[in-house]
Amino acid sequence: MTPKPTGRRGWLLSGDFGRFWLGQTISNLGSSFTFFALPLLVFKLTGSPLNLGLATAMEFVPYLLFGLVIGAWVDRVDRKRLMIATDLGRAAVIAVIPALDALDALSVGWVYAVAFCSATLTIAFDAAQFAALPSLVPSSDDLVTANGRVQASYSAAQIAGPLLAGALVTVVPVQQVLWVDAVSFLVSAGSLALVATAFNAPRDAEGPRALRREVVEGLRYVLGHPVLRNISAMMALINLVSATVYAQLVVFAKRQLDASDSRVALLYAAGSAGIVLLSLAAGPVRRRLSFSVAALGALTLDGLLIMVLAGIRWYWAALVLWAAISGLGLFFNINTNSLRQQIVPDHLLGRVMSIAGVLAWSAIPVGALAGGWAVERTGSVALVYGVVGALVALLALAFSFGPLGHADRYLQASQAR
């Protein structure tokens, strides 16, 4: 194992963490091209809101099918080899779309298959990356800095990627844009191969516990705690309702705003910019306000702004609104995740977070498909957006009358123990 740089911040830009960070920054930039290009490709191939909903569903179904199992499996294998293998796998999977297009054999079914396979591989990679990061920093005190750098580069990629992809689609077909993502995965695999540090701690002599027992223990804790149970229920309902807003963004931009492909890309970039700004504000705002005011207030405002967006036809006003809506959505997620981290005992945290995520994401495929069907049935994406916004605001208000309305009491009780 090579020594880690000992300079105050030298490890950030050199050594194993520097190689890791550079590779992931390039990979995230490539993935942001696909984030924009895939729904636009589905729209161009089918022109169908229902097909867009199905594409979104294919990206989340793997989390429901494999999320808990893969999360536990990652702790039982060599994480570095797993990450390299999944990067190579994702490069091959993403390359299927432009390769089939070059052979004039591309259909929307292949897009669904690529979305499903890529999401499955990403579950394994993300779980391994989360567990591997502590081995790449000099001490546990530097973890916040390391996570901040990774998140900052991810956010920057989410802004720059759609803008660059939007410029690229003016000169090449949208399906060929995915080559950028495929190459970026190869760069990531190469950077990981250059990292000398092991990503696994020495194994416990008694070995891992039974997976089923660990999952059941985590489920009992989540369902038995009033705040955690209500957060999971609310997140599932919100995702069921609001999945349509994100899945149908291309349809909304094309039909309601008459946006070109490059303006659709700018809309995606604006959403990412809003996420960055509200992410930075989450900490200062939460220190001044209670959970219910900060999180549920943000969610209520999010729903109201979706209703306003539904009635907008001026592109530039919609751009600002979409930035705010995207940012408020993540602001709410940051607050709920932080509340979970503060309440849940450390030995249950990993299981509780993965279980809570699966419970919350379970509604996204259903919501995306139902929303696509509703847009096709009514012929009005604006009407569906308006109904979604109203439901989001009403759900936030309804849950404010339950345990989430006084969640800080539970937080104080957990800290007193």
Side-chain angles (χ1 to χ4, degrees):
M1 182 182 300
T2 58
K4 297 168 186 171
T6 56
R8 177 61 184 159
R9 285 290 180 260
W11 59 272
L12 283 170
L13 299 176
S14 62
D16 284 342
F17 179 83
R19 286 185 280 270
F20 171 85
W21 184 21
L22 177 61
Q24 295 319 299
T25 299
I26 294 172
S27 179
N28 287 331
L29 180 63
S31 295
S32 69
F33 277 60
T34 299
F35 175 70
F36 153 73
L38 211 60
L40 184 61
L41 174 59
V42 172
F43 182 78
K44 287 180 176 293
L45 287 173
T46 68
S48 166
L50 185 59
N51 284 103
L52 275 171
L54 185 55
T56 298
M58 288 298 101
E59 294 176 354
F60 283 93
V61 166
Y63 288 89
L64 310 181
L65 298 177
F66 315 124
L68 296 178
V69 175
I70 290 177
W73 174 65
V74 163
D75 290 333
R76 293 162 166 78
V77 300
D78 186 303
R79 293 177 183 138
K80 189 192 301 181
R81 291 180 180 176
L82 173 65
M83 292 170 73
I84 293 172
T86 52
D87 266 338
L88 295 175
R90 289 189 292 180
V93 167
I94 291 295
V96 165
I97 290 178
L100 286 175
D101 177 66
L103 297 172
D104 198 26
L106 181 63
S107 66
V108 72
W110 282 107
V111 179
Y112 299 149
V114 165
F116 182 91
C117 294
S118 179
T120 302
L121 292 169
T122 297
I123 295 171
F125 185 93
D126 287 348
Q129 176 181 256
F130 179 82
L133 196 59
S135 65
L136 294 171
V137 300
S139 70
S140 59
D141 293 336
D142 294 303
L143 267 175
V144 173
T145 301
N147 277 305
R149 295 300 188 274
V150 172
Q151 183 59 45
S153 64
Y154 175 79
S155 300
Q158 289 294 306
I159 297 172
L163 294 176
L164 295 173
L168 193 57
V169 296
T170 62
V171 294
V172 300
V174 64
Q175 48 269 38
Q176 296 302 321
V177 169
L178 273 68
W179 281 119
V180 177
D181 195 14
V183 172
S184 76
F185 284 131
L186 297 179
V187 173
S188 173
S191 71
L192 289 168
L194 294 175
V195 173
T197 303
F199 287 176
N200 295 69
R203 294 183 184 273
D204 191 338
E206 69 177 70
R209 298 168 61 197
L211 176 61
R212 180 180 177 182
R213 180 180 173 186
E214 293 184 350
V215 171
V216 169
E217 185 180 1
L219 274 171
R220 285 176 178 168
Y221 189 86
V222 170
L223 298 178
H225 194 290
V227 170
L228 299 178
R229 183 173 64 244
N230 274 264
I231 286 178
S232 296
M234 182 176 66
M235 290 292 291
L237 290 171
I238 292 295
N239 286 336
L240 177 68
V241 171
S242 65
T244 298
V245 177
Y246 297 90
Q248 302 299 324
L249 184 60
V250 170
V251 175
F252 181 83
K254 291 289 187 180
R255 295 184 181 178
Q256 183 80 356
L257 305 177
D258 195 27
S260 63
D261 290 351
S262 58
R263 285 197 168 187
V264 173
L266 184 57
L267 199 61
Y268 274 89
S272 298
I275 286 172
V276 172
L277 293 176
L278 269 295
S279 297
L280 295 174
V285 171
R286 182 65 179 87
R287 283 192 291 270
R288 290 171 174 79
L289 300 174
S290 68
F291 171 83
S292 59
V293 174
L296 299 180
L299 192 60
T300 303
L301 180 58
D302 189 55
L304 295 175
L305 290 182
I306 293 173
M307 293 174 65
V308 175
L309 179 67
I312 292 291
R313 287 190 173 273
W314 184 34
Y315 173 82
W316 297 107
L319 194 75
V320 175
L321 282 169
W322 182 247
I325 289 166
S326 300
L328 287 167
L330 187 73
F331 180 91
F332 170 75
N333 288 339
I334 289 172
N335 277 275
T336 54
N337 284 337
S338 297
L339 185 67
R340 287 191 186 106
Q341 289 173 322
Q342 291 172 295
I343 290 176
V344 178
D346 183 76
H347 71 283
L348 285 170
L349 191 55
R351 278 169 283 168
V352 167
M353 291 299 286
S354 62
I355 289 167
V358 170
L359 292 175
W361 293 332
S362 63
I364 291 179
V366 177
L369 288 171
W373 175 84
V375 173
E376 285 206 344
R377 187 77 173 178
T378 63
S380 174
V381 65
L383 173 62
V384 175
Y385 267 39
V387 173
V388 166
L391 290 174
V392 168
L394 289 173
L395 283 169
L397 289 172
F399 275 92
S400 69
F401 292 103
L404 295 183
H406 45 267
D408 292 272
R409 297 180 190 174
Y410 292 90
L411 177 58
Q412 292 168 3
S414 66
Q415 292 174 338
R417 288 196 294 269

